[in-house]
């Protein structure tokens, strides 16, 4: 059974940096698409960054482009760890951050929540000004 486990969420000051991680386990095939979404209270879940296909094409939301960097470590047995390096954090980046994976193919550009069939439980990022 596929499981995604996020870690690294924290409370930081505006302007600071944080790296969150997502460890994927239980996969039996290569996943072309993994990404990060976030959801703040009262708001819809939005795509933040994703690796959307086997060529490694990356997507960034306009609000985070130039500040956030997504990366992926590929291990044996189709396991992977996904990272999101977040720099120059702003109060509007405060949200629950979710890792997502599409086990069966690539994702759209921009990626949509419906492109993904597995989700983590989320890790909270709070930025105070």
């Amino acid at each position: 059974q596929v499981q995604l486990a996020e870690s690294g969420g924290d409370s930081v000051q505006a302007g600071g940096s944080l790296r969150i991680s997502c460890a994927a386990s239980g996969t039996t095939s290569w996943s072309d698409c993994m990404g990060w979404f976030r959801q703040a209270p009262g708001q819809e879940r939005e795509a933040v960054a994703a690796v959307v296909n086997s060529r490694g094409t990356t997507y960034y939301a306009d609000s985070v482009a130039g500040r956030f960097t997504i990366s992926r470590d590929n291990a044996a047995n189709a396991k992977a760890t996904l990272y999101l390096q977040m720099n120059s954090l702003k109060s509007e980046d405060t949200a629950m951050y979710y890792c997502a994976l599409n086990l069966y193919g690539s994702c759209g550009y921009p990626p949509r929540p419906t492109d993904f069939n597995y989700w983590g439980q989320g890790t909270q990022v709070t930025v105070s000004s």
Side-chain angles (χ1 to χ4, degrees):
Q1 182 173 347
V2 175
Q3 291 186 323
L4 302 176
E6 301 100 333
S7 62
D10 205 347
S11 296
V12 297
Q13 294 285 326
S17 298
L18 196 64
R19 189 177 82 159
I20 56 177
S21 304
C22 172
S25 62
T27 61
T28 58
S29 61
W30 181 256
S31 170
D32 289 340
C33 180
M34 293 184 71
W36 290 99
F37 285 74
R38 68 185 180 187
Q39 188 168 20
Q43 298 187 19
E44 293 186 355
R45 189 169 296 192
E46 63 171 347
V48 176
V51 180
V52 300
N53 58 33
S54 60
R55 298 185 300 278
T57 302
T58 53
Y59 163 84
Y60 293 97
D62 289 344
S63 58
V64 307
R67 300 188 297 121
F68 290 11
T69 302
I70 190 171
S71 61
R72 175 174 175 168
D73 280 346
N74 301 318
N77 301 321
K79 301 186 189 300
T81 302
L82 190 71
Y83 301 97
L84 185 67
Q85 177 67 45
M86 302 181 289
N87 298 328
S88 302
L89 283 161
K90 304 176 182 180
S91 57
E92 51 263 44
D93 295 319
T94 295
M96 185 71 78
Y97 284 70
Y98 296 92
C99 175
L101 177 152
N102 178 355
L103 191 59
Y104 304 112
S106 59
C107 294
Y109 192 101
R112 302 162 298 178
T114 53
D115 290 340
F116 298 84
N117 36 46
Y118 291 96
W119 293 84
Q121 294 299 306
T123 188
Q124 179 68 38
V125 173
T126 302
V127 184
S128 57
S129 56

